[in-house]
Every structure is written in structure tokens, then in C-alpha cells.
Amino acid sequence: MVIRFFWTRAASVWIAVLYMVLGLLLLLFPDASGRFFIRALAAGAVLYGVVHLWRYGQSRRTAEDSPGDLFLGVLPLAFAAFALLRPLTILSFLPLTLGLLLLVDGLGKAPLAVWAMKRRGDDRVPQLIACLLPIVLGGLLVADPFQGVRAVIMVFGFALLADGASDLATAILARRSGGSGG
């Protein structure tokens, strides 16, 4: 029953609208979106840590010490404190990782680009672009991942907005062509 609901056109319209709203929020308010994400992540870590500290306290009362619960209680609380004090540092891991992956991708394509240049094939320009573009973008993200945070959030917001608009257009066209909306 639940799966059927999510596959109906009426549900896809609402999901498309939700994607568009979330995409707009990320695109227009990347800083606030990042702060909200970090606060939600920290709140989850605090909840997880408190549950494990409570379990540790319970196990100490029954003389069954559980150092694993102590560790799983303290570590998330420390992470939450760090995340709340230095949210940009936590957020910068995404652009840093993406930048490193782009660098590896571009450097991996370098031999293909060199080979295309040597043989003067018709694919020289596309091969060169496929090699240099990831290297340049990856280098920019690795060089300053803190500025990259804002750009990555905005690109993700744009992607959600475009995906939602595409889904909405598809659902509307399907409905106009005579499909039932559910």
C-alpha cells in the first residue's frame, strides 16, 4: 500500500514540489542550510551519546561495566561539541573529499588526453577538457574547502530544484496525455 502511494503520479507531484522547495532553500540560503544540517547532526550525536552514557550508568549499577558504552557515549558528545563550535570545519569535509575525487579522476584521464594529443585524433579537445576540468575544479575545492562548502550546497540545491522541476513537468505532461493521477 505504501509503495503504491509513492509510485502514483499524485505522490510524485508532491515529491517534486518538496524537492523544489528544498532545492530553493539550499540555493538561496546555503549558509543557514549548512548550519541547520550541522545542528541536526550534533543533536543526533548528543542523543546517541546520552543513550550510551545512560546504558553505561545502568551497567555500572549491576556491576557489569561496559566500557564500550562509555566510549560510545563520550565520543559522540565530543563530536557534537566540536561540530557546534566549528561547524565550517565539519562541513568542509564534503568539498575536500569531492575535490580529491575530482583530482584523482582528472589525473587518471591524463594519459588518455596525452595519447589523444599525440595521435592528433578528433577527440583531442573532449579528452583535454575531460582531463583538465576535473583537475581545475578539484584543485579549487582542495585549495579552499571552506569556501567550497557554500558552492557545494548551492550546486546540490540547484540539482534538487532541477530534478523536482523535471519530475513535476513529467507528472503534468503524463496527466495531460490522459494518464490517471491517483
Side-chain angles (χ1 to χ4, degrees), residues 9-24:
R9 283 189 186 86
S12 65
V13 167
W14 287 109
I15 291 172
V17 170
L18 177 66
Y19 277 14
M20 291 171 63
V21 168
L22 290 174
L24 265 176

Side-chain angles (χ1 to χ4, degrees), residues 11-107:
S12 65
V13 167
W14 287 109
I15 291 172
V17 170
L18 177 66
Y19 277 14
M20 291 171 63
V21 168
L22 290 174
L24 265 176
L25 289 173
L26 292 174
L27 195 57
L28 296 175
F29 307 107
D31 297 328
S33 299
R35 283 192 305 271
F36 176 77
F37 174 76
I38 289 299
R39 288 179 181 148
L41 188 64
V46 166
L47 183 63
Y48 184 81
V50 166
V51 165
H52 278 281
L53 285 178
W54 181 79
R55 285 177 53 185
Y56 175 74
Q58 294 292 2
S59 67
R60 286 200 35 123
R61 286 190 192 133
T62 61
E64 297 176 15
D65 281 347
S66 176
D69 279 325
L70 179 60
F71 178 76
L72 291 174
V74 172
L75 189 64
L77 292 175
F79 170 79
F82 181 75
L84 291 173
L85 294 173
R86 306 285 297 178
L88 197 55
T89 302
I90 301 298
L91 283 173
S92 69
F93 280 105
L94 178 61
L96 181 64
T97 304
L98 180 61
L100 289 171
L101 288 172
L102 284 169
L103 281 172
V104 167
D105 180 51
L107 292 173

Side-chain angles (χ1 to χ4, degrees), residues 109-121:
K109 292 176 182 173
L112 296 173
V114 168
W115 186 61
M117 297 301 281
K118 282 184 181 177
R119 66 178 172 81
R120 299 194 186 277

